[in-house]
Amino acid sequence: MEQVCAAAVLLLTLVSTCNSTKFEIYGFLDHSVSLPALRPINTAEIVCKLDGNKVFEWETEKNTQYFGSYKGRTELKEKSVLLKELQKNDTGEYLLEFILQDGHITKTVISLIVLEPLAMPEINCTGNASIVFLSCYLNGLGSHVTSEWEYQNAAVMSNDNFALSDENKHLTILNPQKFPEEFICIMNQPENSSQSNPVRVQDCIENKGNGRAHNAIVVVVVVVVFIILGVIGYLTCYRQKQRKASIKEFTSEPLNIEASQAAIESKDQDACEPLNPEASQDEPAKINKGGADIDCPNDTEQTAPRAPIIE
């Protein structure tokens, strides 16, 4: 009988020791989250561990002691544990051990998953008057994410007009003329969701609504414009430099006044020579009253007689 009682006590102790509660909690990067920590009556000590490493330790009539990277961003409250500024490596299973005054231990296991907040999804669409294809994209798509579509505030389901594929990321619309209103793509996470801008299938027909293609065209146009402006600027600067160099070269060369005067006199003499030597022998040159050649007015100045000096 005593052996049976001892075995029963031992079994009860094992059940009490292994008694545990499990939770699954989701938190978001750089945000705060509360972990449930309902301490039993007559709790003498609390130990919290993550993957075998201590997060904090509390004892009756003693201050709570925090460890490692949890210092300054962890706070033990009456019924919860507050974790601030969540990091990716905070993901894991937290073990809370509540040690009672009689030596019994109650455990709480909390699975914490740290997620990145969802960005706004984008819709890419192509098609024609008979069929339209919609695709929902999300940059940095992580785990625990599901997709769905809405039309006129109602969920889109597969039927004769709609076909869903690839975990609802792609939607095929038959007879798009029947659906003139807007479609919306929604990405869901636990306790979080994000939806796209609305898209009309009529804009998608013949690639008119292809947002990514439109963005690509805009980028190409902008790049071409910048290249043209750069070439124009370069040519302008090059021409200004050539002009300045020409002006500098011209102003730096000394003027040869004697050579210039000789060239002018030579030109004047050439102009006064008769074009036909034979004709000049037959016809005497016309002489003006002053004795100068009529065709060479400069000779007037050279051969004009001086006026007599009157005493």
Side-chain angles (χ1 to χ4, degrees):
M1 185 65 180
E2 292 180 357
Q3 293 178 351
V4 173
C5 291
V9 171
L10 178 60
L11 179 61
L12 181 60
T13 303
L14 290 174
V15 171
S16 299
T17 302
C18 297
N19 182 27
S20 63
T21 306
K22 291 185 178 181
F23 296 92
E24 188 175 72
I25 304 294
Y26 293 91
F28 295 97
L29 193 66
D30 298 326
H31 289 68
S32 300
V33 68
S34 291
L35 307 181
L38 298 174
R39 63 186 73 180
I41 300 175
N42 299 326
T43 298
E45 184 179 351
I46 303 174
V47 178
C48 179
K49 297 179 182 179
L50 173 63
D51 299 330
N53 299 316
K54 283 187 178 182
V55 176
F56 68 85
E57 188 175 42
W58 172 87
E59 292 185 37
T60 306
E61 298 180 356
K62 289 185 179 181
N63 294 328
T64 305
Q65 185 177 2
Y66 301 95
F67 301 93
S69 63
Y70 293 92
K71 292 181 179 179
R73 64 186 189 95
T74 307
E75 183 181 354
L76 174 62
K77 296 188 175 183
E78 186 66 25
K79 297 181 180 180
S80 63
V81 178
L82 179 63
L83 291 181
K84 305 175 184 177
E85 300 176 2
L86 287 177
Q87 304 170 5
K88 272 293 190 179
N89 55 10
D90 289 334
T91 297
E93 282 195 351
Y94 291 79
L95 175 61
L96 285 170
E97 294 181 336
F98 300 93
I99 304 171
L100 307 183
Q101 293 178 356
D102 58 5
H104 291 177
I105 299 176
T106 299
K107 297 181 180 180
T108 298
V109 178
I110 304 171
S111 179
L112 175 63
I113 301 173
V114 180
L115 303 173
E116 294 186 17
L118 291 175
M120 177 183 290
E122 298 180 3
I123 295 179
N124 184 27
C125 61
T126 57
N128 51 44
S130 301
I131 187 171
V132 168
F133 302 95
L134 301 181
S135 300
C136 192
Y137 294 93
L138 180 65
N139 293 328
L141 182 63
S143 59
H144 304 86
V145 178
T146 59
S147 306
E148 62 177 318
W149 297 86
E150 281 190 1
Y151 179 74
Q152 292 184 332
N153 298 322
V156 175
M157 309 296 293
S158 295
N159 53 37
D160 294 338
N161 296 311
F162 304 120
L164 296 168
S165 61
D166 191 16
E167 299 179 350
N168 298 339
K169 294 183 180 67
H170 302 287
L171 172 62
T172 302
I173 304 173
L174 302 176
N175 303 315
Q177 302 293 343
K178 295 182 179 180
F179 306 99
E181 303 300 327
E182 298 171 332
F183 285 81
I184 296 175
C185 170
I186 302 175
M187 292 289 188
N188 296 312
Q189 272 183 334
E191 302 180 10
N192 185 29
S193 64
S194 179
Q195 70 178 31
S196 68
N197 290 323
V199 171
R200 295 176 66 252
V201 293
Q202 303 305 320
D203 296 333
C204 299
I205 295 175
E206 298 179 357
N207 295 327
K208 292 180 181 179
N210 193 328
R212 291 193 170 188
H214 178 266
N215 293 338
I217 293 174
V218 172
V219 171
V220 171
V221 171
V222 171
V223 171
V224 171
V225 170
F226 273 105
I227 292 175
I228 293 174
L229 292 176
V231 172
I232 293 174
Y234 173 79
L235 293 177
T236 302
C237 293
Y238 178 79
R239 289 176 181 176
Q240 290 180 352
K241 289 181 179 179
Q242 292 293 327
R243 187 179 302 170
K244 291 180 179 179
S246 300
I247 295 174
K248 183 177 181 180
E249 181 179 359
F250 177 79
T251 54
S252 61
E253 293 181 355
L255 296 177
N256 193 336
I257 299 176
E258 296 179 355
S260 299
Q261 185 64 32
I264 293 172
E265 293 178 356
S266 175
K267 183 177 180 180
D268 292 339
Q269 292 175 3
D270 293 340
C272 294
E273 291 179 356
L275 297 177
N276 191 343
E278 297 178 358
S280 61
Q281 295 176 1
D282 297 335
E283 292 183 0
K286 297 179 180 180
I287 305 299
N288 59 12
K289 295 180 179 181
D293 192 345
I294 295 176
D295 296 333
C296 296
N298 292 334
D299 293 343
T300 303
E301 297 178 0
Q302 296 177 0
T303 59
R306 293 183 179 179
I309 299 175
I310 300 175
E311 295 183 355

